[in-house]
Amino acid sequence: MPGRILIVDDVATNRMILKAMLAGACYEVLQADGGAEALVVAERDRPDLILLDMSMPDIDGLSVCRKLKATPRTADIPVIIVTAHDDTPSKLAALEAGAEEFLSKPHDEMVLLARVRSLLRARSIEAELALRDGTSQALGFAEAGSEFVPAGRVCLVADANAEALSWKTRMSERLHDTVEMRSRETALAETGPTPDIFVVNADLGSAGGGLLLLSELRSRPETRHSGIIVIVPPGNSAHAAMALDLGASDVVRAPIDMDEMELRLKSMMARKRQADRLRRKVRDGLQMAVTDPLTGLYNRRYALPHLERVRERALETGRNYAVMMIDLDLFKSVNDAHGHGAGDRVLKTVAERLQTNLRTVDLVARVGGEEFVVVLPEINPEAALNAAERLRIAISKTPVTLPAGPARPMPVDLTQTVSIGLVIGGAAQGGLDDDAEQLLETADSALYRAKASGRNRVVLANGVRRRGDRPKPAVAPTTYPTPSAPSMPAQRLTVEIR
C-alpha cells in the first residue's frame, strides 16, 4: 500500500465518496464518523495522512486538528481540512490550527490526489530524517539546542510587473526573512546563498512556464531541498495538480491573499529549518564514530540502534520491515590471489552497488570484514525478496576490474557473488517480533543456509525460499596465464569467485 489515510466525516456519503477516490489509487483507508473517534483512531493506528471535515456535531474539525498537533504521537501526521465553505476566514482558521491544506467540497479528484501524493512524499522524507535523528540520540550524539534562528531567504520568481513588485513589497512587510525578486534566469544561477523558499508564478513568461522552472529547481543539488510554492491561476486545476506532482511543496491560487501566504511561508520555513538541521546531524555529527572508513557505509554501532527503532515503528504502525545479512562468497580467495588492495576495491564496489540499488530510506551498513547488513523499513515480504534478488544480480552481473600494476601484468575482471539471508520483521504478514540482535542472528542463520546450498542465492528465514543461479562448484578454477614474451600485448583475464 502506498499509504494509510484516515477519513473523518460525520456524513457516511461523504466518507464513501472519498474512500472510492482513495481506494481507486490503492491507498489503505480508515474511517471515523466524528472528532472523538478520529482522535482515538489517529493515536492507535498512526495513519500517514488525515482528511478531516471541519463541521462535526461532537468536536469540530479545527479543535480535532489542534489536539492532533499538540499530541506527540500524532503531531507529525499531515492534516487536510475539507469543508463545504470556501471563504478566506475558514481557510486561515484551518492553517492557524495546524492543517497542512484546506480543500473545499465538492472535491476536485485530480487536485485532491495530487495533494495527497505531495504530503505523503514530504512526510516520508521527514519521517526518515526523524528516524535517523532518533538513532543519533540513542548513540549519545544529541545536538545542543540553539535559541538563535537566523533570517531565512525567500526568492520570488516572477516577471517584473506591478503585481509581482506588489507581492514582494507585501511579503517583506510581513516576514522577518529576506525577500528578493529574481527572473527565471537568475533563479537558476548558482550565485550567492541558496534561497530557503522559492515562490514561483506558474505562468512565468508563458502559460505553464513556471512549471518548467519548478522541475529544474527540483533536479539541481543546490535547490533540491528548498521549499517551493507555486502560484497558479484561479480555476486551473491541471496546473495545480501538475505543480504538486513535479515537486512543489505547496500551491497557492491567485489572487494571493497575503494573510494566507504569510501563514504558509512561516510554516514552510520552520519545516525547512528542521529538515536542514537533521540533515546536518546525519551528515556531520555521526561520520567519524559510526561510519566505516573504507566503504563510507554506517557500521555496526549505528546499524543496531537504527534497526531497533525501525522495529519499534513497525510494531506501532502494524507494518512489516526486512533485514538482510549479505556476505561475499569466497572473499578470502580474492585477498590470497590478488592482495588486500584488490580485496578493498571489491568491498568498495559492492558497497556502491548496494547503495545504488536500494531506496533512499533503506540503510546499508558494513558489520564485518566482508559482511553487510541492509535494513528496509515499511516493506512487504514480496518486495523485500525482490529487493534481495535485485542486489544479488547487481553485484554478480558486472565484474570488478583490477587494473594492471606491479602485482598484475594485465587487468583482471573478478566476478564476485554474494549470499543473502533475509528475515521479515514486524506485526503484519507473519513478521518476527524479535529485538535487533535476535533478528540479525536469524538473518545470519538464513545466510549460512544460502552458503550451504550453493552460494550466490537468497534464503528467506522461516522456510527456505531460494532464488538465483543453480549451485556452482565450491571453488572456481583460478589459473592465470602469463605472457610468453615481454612484447606480447596486454590481455584482460576474467575470474569468477563463487
Side-chain angles (χ1 to χ4, degrees), residues 315-489:
L315 294 177
E316 288 178 357
T317 60
R319 299 180 183 179
N320 284 124
Y321 62 100
V323 182
M324 298 181 202
M325 286 291 292
I326 302 175
D327 188 82
L328 276 62
D329 295 328
L330 300 174
F331 181 69
K332 184 176 183 297
S333 64
V334 176
N335 287 328
D336 291 346
H338 303 283
H340 289 279
D344 289 349
R345 188 181 185 92
V346 171
L347 287 169
K348 288 191 284 187
T349 302
V350 169
E352 291 167 2
R353 291 178 187 171
L354 290 174
Q355 288 182 296
T356 56
N357 285 278
L358 289 167
R359 305 172 300 176
T360 56
V361 298
D362 300 328
L363 176 81
V364 185
R366 183 185 177 201
V367 295
E370 62 266 24
E371 275 196 330
F372 299 85
V373 164
V374 176
V375 181
L376 303 98
E378 298 190 4
I379 191 168
N380 63 52
E382 188 61 32
L385 279 164
N386 290 337
E389 177 66 5
R390 183 171 65 248
L391 294 179
R392 187 194 68 79
I393 294 173
I395 292 166
S396 63
K397 73 177 182 179
T398 305
V400 180
T401 300
L402 305 180
R408 284 178 296 278
M410 62 191 71
V412 175
D413 287 342
L414 294 179
T415 301
Q416 177 67 59
T417 65
V418 295
S419 298
I420 302 177
L422 173 66
V423 60
I424 307 298
Q429 300 187 41
L432 299 180
D433 181 17
D434 293 335
D435 62 25
E437 290 280 5
Q438 291 172 317
L439 284 167
L440 289 181
E441 288 181 10
T442 305
D444 206 36
S445 297
L447 170 63
Y448 279 117
R449 298 210 304 275
K451 294 280 191 183
S453 58
R455 302 187 183 91
N456 189 25
R457 59 192 52 245
V458 176
V459 170
L460 175 64
N462 301 331
V464 178
R465 175 169 178 173
R466 303 185 182 115
R467 294 184 168 210
D469 299 340
R470 297 176 63 184
K472 302 291 173 104
V475 181
T478 54
T479 57
Y480 312 109
T482 55
S484 58
S487 60
M488 184 176 181

Side-chain angles (χ1 to χ4, degrees), residues 6-23:
L6 171 62
I7 300 172
V8 186
D9 199 309
D10 60 313
V11 180
T13 304
N14 292 339
R15 297 198 303 272
M16 291 172 62
I17 291 171
L18 281 173
K19 181 178 179 180
M21 285 185 190
L22 297 169

Side-chain angles (χ1 to χ4, degrees), residues 97-119:
E100 276 72 16
E101 185 54 286
F102 175 96
L103 296 176
S104 301
K105 303 175 184 176
H107 307 294
D108 184 316
E109 183 173 357
M110 180 170 59
V111 174
L112 172 64
L113 291 177
R115 172 57 74 180
V116 166
R117 289 190 295 269
S118 174
L119 288 173

Side-chain angles (χ1 to χ4, degrees), residues 63 78 89 110 116 172-173 175 197 203-204 206 216 234 244 247 285 290 296 314 351 380 385 391 403:
S63 298
M110 180 170 59
V116 166
S172 300
E173 291 171 350
L175 301 174
I197 299 174
D203 292 336
L204 183 62
S206 61
E216 286 283 346
L244 291 168
V290 295
N380 63 52
L385 279 164
L391 294 179

